[in-house]
Amino acid sequence: MVVVLSVLWGGGPIWAPFVGLFSGFLVFLYQRMTDRRSRENALSYLVTTQRIIFVANWHSGTEFRWIWFQYIRFRPSVKADETGVGTIKYGKAWHRFRFRNEELRGAWAPPALELRAIKDARRVADLIEQGRNRLIGTYTQAP
């Protein structure tokens, strides 16, 4: 505040407001990184025959959120290392960005639909797709 007032009154250097903006940006990035890291350490996933369940284990309790397979609109993209551990993402970057900005943010909001640090990620993505296709088939078949 003092730096901004001194620049407005002409007593400070011209670069001072930019240093303030840059430091604010760094604080914002640090907060985002620690938020993501704390979510990754507390978050685990369960995959059933009909949904993906996100489980957050906090010191104050456990929280569950889920998404039904029928509401997953995109095909998965899997990025895994040589050991098979990887990330499963649904939707393109723009869709995940829009979803993240439109969702209700709770104490731990999972980023769009991303499953991180999954062992044998390709196999898990295939199992989710098989379950999803099986459910879609049961909804569209006539009795």
Side-chain angles (χ1 to χ4, degrees):
M1 183 73 173
V2 173
V3 172
V4 174
L5 290 176
S6 66
V7 169
L8 290 176
W9 288 330
I14 191 71
W15 51 266
F18 298 110
V19 171
L21 288 174
F22 183 70
S23 62
F25 180 70
L26 289 178
V27 168
F28 173 75
L29 282 179
Y30 177 76
Q31 186 270 333
R32 295 286 290 186
M33 289 184 339
T34 56
D35 182 41
R36 174 176 260 187
R37 190 175 300 126
S38 67
R39 228 186 358 253
E40 286 177 359
N41 291 336
L43 197 60
S44 58
Y45 313 97
L46 299 170
V47 178
T48 69
T49 58
Q50 296 183 356
R51 61 187 169 177
I52 301 171
I53 303 171
F54 298 88
V55 182
N57 293 311
W58 299 107
H59 57 76
S60 59
T62 303
E63 183 177 358
F64 298 91
R65 293 187 187 185
W66 56 85
I67 183 165
W68 298 94
F69 287 163
Q70 65 199 27
Y71 296 117
I72 299 174
R73 296 181 288 180
F74 305 104
R75 298 196 51 82
S77 66
V78 179
K79 186 176 181 181
D81 61 10
E82 61 276 351
T83 63
V85 176
T87 302
I88 304 170
K89 296 180 181 181
Y90 287 87
K92 301 200 182 322
W94 174 248
H95 297 276
R96 288 193 312 272
F97 175 77
R98 281 188 44 216
F99 180 75
R100 186 177 319 146
N101 288 335
E102 292 173 3
E103 71 181 346
L104 296 174
R105 307 292 293 180
W108 71 281
L113 188 50
E114 256 178 31
L115 290 86
R116 300 177 151 269
I118 303 296
K119 292 180 183 176
D120 203 4
R122 293 204 188 284
R123 182 172 169 267
V124 171
D126 289 341
L127 289 173
I128 292 171
E129 279 300 297
Q130 288 173 6
R132 186 171 163 243
N133 291 337
R134 191 171 332 130
L135 283 177
I136 291 171
T138 59
Y139 289 130
T140 58
Q141 291 177 353

